[in-house]
Amino acid sequence: VLLNLREHLRPGTIREAVRLLREGAGRTVALAGGTELVGRQDPATEAVVDLSGLGLAGVGPGPARGLAIGAMTTLQALAADQGVHAAAGGILARAAAMAAPATIRAAATLGGTLAGEKGGEEIPTALLALGARVALAAPDLVEVPMAAFLRDREELLAWAPLILRVVIPAQALCAAGGCARVSRSPADRAIVCAAAVAFPGGEVSLAVGGVERRPRMAAASDEPFARWDAVGDHRASTEYRCTVAPVLARRAVLEATGGAVR
Ligand SMILES: Cc1cc2nc3c(=O)[nH]c(=O)nc-3n(C[C@H](O)[C@H](O)[C@H](O)COP(=O)(O)OP(=O)(O)OC[C@H]3O[C@@H](n4cnc5c(N)ncnc54)[C@H](O)[C@@H]3O)c2cc1C
């Protein structure tokens, strides 16, 4: 519960939403599905900018024949969408289906997953492997590759406080894909996960989440993960994460390439 909440703002335009978020920086935050925000109980939050009136939900054609996924698309809609299923072995749809229980997936959004702290690793890892780009409003449109978004997320959101959509490039839509994860139970969030995309030209992109603080690209499944800047927590040590990462990376690449490991 947000005990100090005084205002629920519901702008009808992107420009207005960005203005409200900028003017209230520090005490005003974006409200999407609310699954993380409401539980956060941050006493500094005095106003929320409800994003539900901005038309940001849905999956459809994007620029240059890519696939555009609106920031307010729920994880359930993402998991069920035919176009997302058809892209690169459905690795993003599979990531969304595993990201949270059904009750949470019905409300939690793609934007909240990328901007929040508790969205887990699987969706950003899949988007990284797919070569996705994140579109933000500053209020003018700013588009950044997923890798840059993950690296500079706090700075980007301070400057362009609203995620509008994620675009999957056309070449990833007709690629093959694979993914693998390890978690404490099938319903729990991933401890470590890997996603691979094999493009028609033969190039394979591989991303690994759950080893470093944010998912990152790996050159190959035998990458020296022990040299990564691994983080451990109550769910798994750094050693465990570095040990399991190449196994998952190899599985993801095997699935994407139909058996040929690079
Ligand atoms: C009971 C429970 C179980 C959960 N289980 C899991 C789990 O198993 N695995 C897992 O990965 N996650 C889990 N979560 C976390 C949850 O699924 C994610 O945090 C969720 O994806 C957040 O999305 P949301 O739309 O609800 O975001 P919100 O709670 O509305 O917002 C989260 C943050 O993102 C910001 N934000 C939202 N949308 C935008 C936007 N478009 N632009 C800029 N900023 C934005 C908000 O200001 C806020 O800071 C669980 C949560 C709960 C409550």
Side-chain angles (χ1 to χ4, degrees):
V1 186
L2 297 167
L3 290 173
N4 293 329
L5 188 68
R6 292 189 175 81
E7 283 183 289
H8 182 132
L9 307 159
R10 196 167 182 274
T13 66
I14 305 286
R15 192 161 284 274
E16 176 71 350
V18 171
R19 186 184 66 75
L20 290 167
L21 287 168
R22 277 198 168 153
E23 283 180 6
R27 54 168 214 97
T28 303
V29 294
L31 170 67
T35 62
E36 180 183 328
L37 192 59
V38 173
R40 206 187 278 165
Q41 300 188 335
D42 185 350
T45 302
E46 294 177 5
V48 289
V49 176
D50 185 337
L51 307 181
S52 60
L54 300 176
L56 294 178
V59 183
R65 298 191 185 179
L67 191 70
I69 306 168
M72 287 294 281
T73 307
T74 65
L75 301 188
Q76 185 54 40
L78 195 55
D81 186 86
Q82 289 306 312
V84 180
H85 262 280
I91 58 171
L92 181 59
R94 287 154 68 188
M98 300 300 282
T103 44
I104 299 297
R105 288 201 306 272
T109 64
L110 178 61
T113 301
L114 296 181
E117 292 302 327
K118 298 194 173 157
E121 304 287 331
E122 281 170 292
I123 290 176
T125 301
L127 290 172
L128 197 54
L130 288 162
R133 297 178 69 82
V134 183
L136 304 113
D140 294 332
L141 186 72
V142 183
E143 224 184 75
V144 293
M146 190 65 198
F149 176 81
L150 290 172
R151 190 188 59 230
D152 303 327
R153 196 183 68 155
E154 280 69 30
E155 294 80 2
L156 272 170
L157 285 172
W159 170 58
L162 185 61
I163 301 172
L164 299 177
R165 61 183 164 271
V166 169
V167 178
I168 299 176
Q171 61 269 33
L173 300 181
C174 53
C179 55
R181 75 196 299 261
V182 64
S183 58
R184 290 181 299 186
S185 75
D188 200 5
R189 61 177 54 203
I191 297 171
V192 180
C193 59
V197 175
F199 292 93
E203 187 201 338
V204 177
S205 79
L206 173 65
V208 174
V211 177
E212 295 200 341
R213 204 166 67 86
R214 299 268 159 79
R216 65 174 263 192
M217 299 296 286
S221 52
D222 60 355
E223 169 103 10
F225 290 101
R227 285 198 220 130
W228 282 26
D229 190 14
V231 288
D233 62 12
H234 63 283
R235 293 182 307 144
S237 64
T238 56
E239 293 77 14
Y240 176 82
R241 289 167 193 265
C242 292
T243 304
V244 83
V247 179
L248 299 177
R250 189 178 160 83
R251 284 183 195 160
V253 173
L254 269 174
E255 187 191 349
T257 58
V261 174
R262 286 167 72 244

